[in-house]
Amino acid sequence: MTTETKSAEAMARKTEEAEVSPFGWIIDPAVYIRVLSILVVIGGWELLGQISYISPSTFSWPSAIIAAFFELIRNGQMMAAAHESSVILVAGLGIAIPSGIVIGIAMGRFKTWEYILDTYVYALYATPVVALAFPIAMVLGVDFAGKTTIVVFFAIMPVIVNVFHGVRNVDPFLMEVTRSFCSSEWQRWRDLIFPSMVPYLVAGLGLSFGRGLVGMVVAEFLMSISGLGALSQDYTGELELDKGLAPVVLLMITGIVLTKLVNICENKFSSWRTHSEG
């Protein structure tokens, strides 16, 4: 065995031990790079606020925003607004994600459905959804139905497109192998198509959650003013920018949590894939 081979095996063992150990992240340089990046950006922003370079009437800084965030939680305004917004977001994503998966699978697996739907899908994907807000409001109203539809339009397209490409990009050689072994359609989905589709689906869900949050805020701004959008707009109009930006912090936290949940689900249900961290 050569020295290079021994070194490679030793490094592989160390990597595996770090991944298995609950404290393996301590020796991961990526953690420290991310922390340093956050400290530089947030610290510089805070410093500009503390030396009065930033005017409270035009913007705010981290410590003031965090203080306003907890104040709005204490007085109940943040929770009440978040409840209103979450109803719209959950309903929109609850419609968009299953529908997007079904449409993407149909387009990817059956040429006829692709020919029927692809023109509409790509046309709507390229259309600014904000431009559809007023026609939707005229047809469905400015309350729950109209706002939920806006969220659906924002969130569904990434799921459709990513699932379509995930199903379509299954290795044709492996598909031929499943036919050679007389696999049923269910067996092909279980053993080949679904595992190949998962990375695309995860990417689509990550985009869908982010776009769904944007759609929720857009709907609250452009239709009947409510929820986190109304809370932010009210305080911004009163030039209390710290409180106006506090709902944005909650939206950011929500986006991060949803993305992490998607990653956890990917790791749980795609154990056949080689896990690598960038």
Side-chain angles (χ1 to χ4, degrees):
M1 184 180 294
T2 65
T3 304
E4 290 80 3
T5 305
K6 291 180 181 178
S7 300
E9 290 180 352
M11 290 179 65
R13 282 196 299 270
K14 288 181 180 179
T15 302
E16 290 175 1
E17 290 171 1
E19 290 178 352
V20 172
S21 171
F23 301 103
W25 59 270
I26 294 176
I27 62 173
D28 186 0
V31 173
Y32 299 100
I33 295 172
R34 291 188 179 105
V35 171
L36 179 61
S37 172
I38 292 171
L39 289 176
V40 168
V41 174
I42 300 298
W45 181 10
E46 179 69 23
L47 179 62
L48 292 175
Q50 294 298 329
I51 64 176
S52 300
Y53 185 83
I54 298 175
S55 170
S57 62
T58 57
F59 203 51
S60 189
W61 50 91
S63 60
I65 295 170
I66 296 301
F69 178 83
F70 287 108
E71 181 183 344
L72 292 175
I73 289 179
R74 282 195 301 271
N75 64 27
Q77 288 181 285
M78 184 73 80
M79 293 299 99
H83 178 264
E84 289 183 48
S85 296
S86 64
V87 171
I88 298 168
L89 179 65
V90 171
L93 291 177
I95 296 171
I97 292 173
S99 302
I101 292 173
V102 171
I103 294 171
I105 287 173
M107 290 176 60
R109 196 76 180 96
F110 306 105
K111 284 285 187 180
T112 302
W113 282 108
E114 180 187 355
Y115 299 150
I116 292 172
L117 297 173
D118 62 353
T119 302
Y120 306 106
V121 168
Y122 288 110
L124 288 173
Y125 193 73
T127 301
V129 181
V130 177
L132 302 176
F134 292 104
I136 290 172
M138 294 294 292
V139 174
L140 298 176
V142 296
D143 293 319
F144 179 79
K147 292 178 181 179
T148 301
T149 303
I150 289 290
V151 176
V152 171
F153 272 104
F154 265 93
I156 194 171
M157 293 305 166
V159 179
I160 294 175
V161 173
N162 279 274
V163 170
F164 165 71
H165 286 293
V167 174
R168 178 55 56 84
N169 290 332
V170 174
D171 191 331
F173 174 76
L174 296 178
M175 284 294 291
E176 191 60 38
V177 171
T178 63
R179 294 189 185 96
S180 299
F181 283 94
C182 301
S183 298
S184 65
E185 183 68 14
W186 161 244
Q187 288 172 325
R188 291 193 189 104
W189 274 99
R190 183 192 64 192
D191 299 328
L192 178 59
I193 300 175
F194 182 71
S196 300
M197 184 186 76
V198 165
Y200 293 86
L201 175 59
V202 169
L205 290 178
L207 293 170
S208 179
F209 288 147
R211 287 171 60 93
L213 286 169
V214 173
M216 178 192 74
V217 176
V218 167
E220 290 174 342
F221 278 162
L222 298 182
M223 295 188 176
S224 60
I225 307 299
S226 64
L228 294 172
L231 189 63
S232 178
Q233 194 173 48
D234 288 344
Y235 280 111
T236 301
E238 296 172 4
L239 298 182
E240 296 185 62
L241 273 299
D242 51 353
K243 293 180 180 177
L245 290 171
V248 178
V249 174
L250 182 59
L251 291 172
M252 290 171 58
I253 294 171
T254 303
I256 292 170
V257 170
L258 290 175
T259 302
K260 290 298 181 184
L261 288 175
V262 170
N263 291 337
I264 290 170
C265 292
E266 179 191 19
N267 293 335
K268 182 176 177 62
F269 295 108
S270 61
S271 57
W272 56 84
R273 297 175 57 217
T274 302
H275 180 68
S276 62
E277 293 292 339

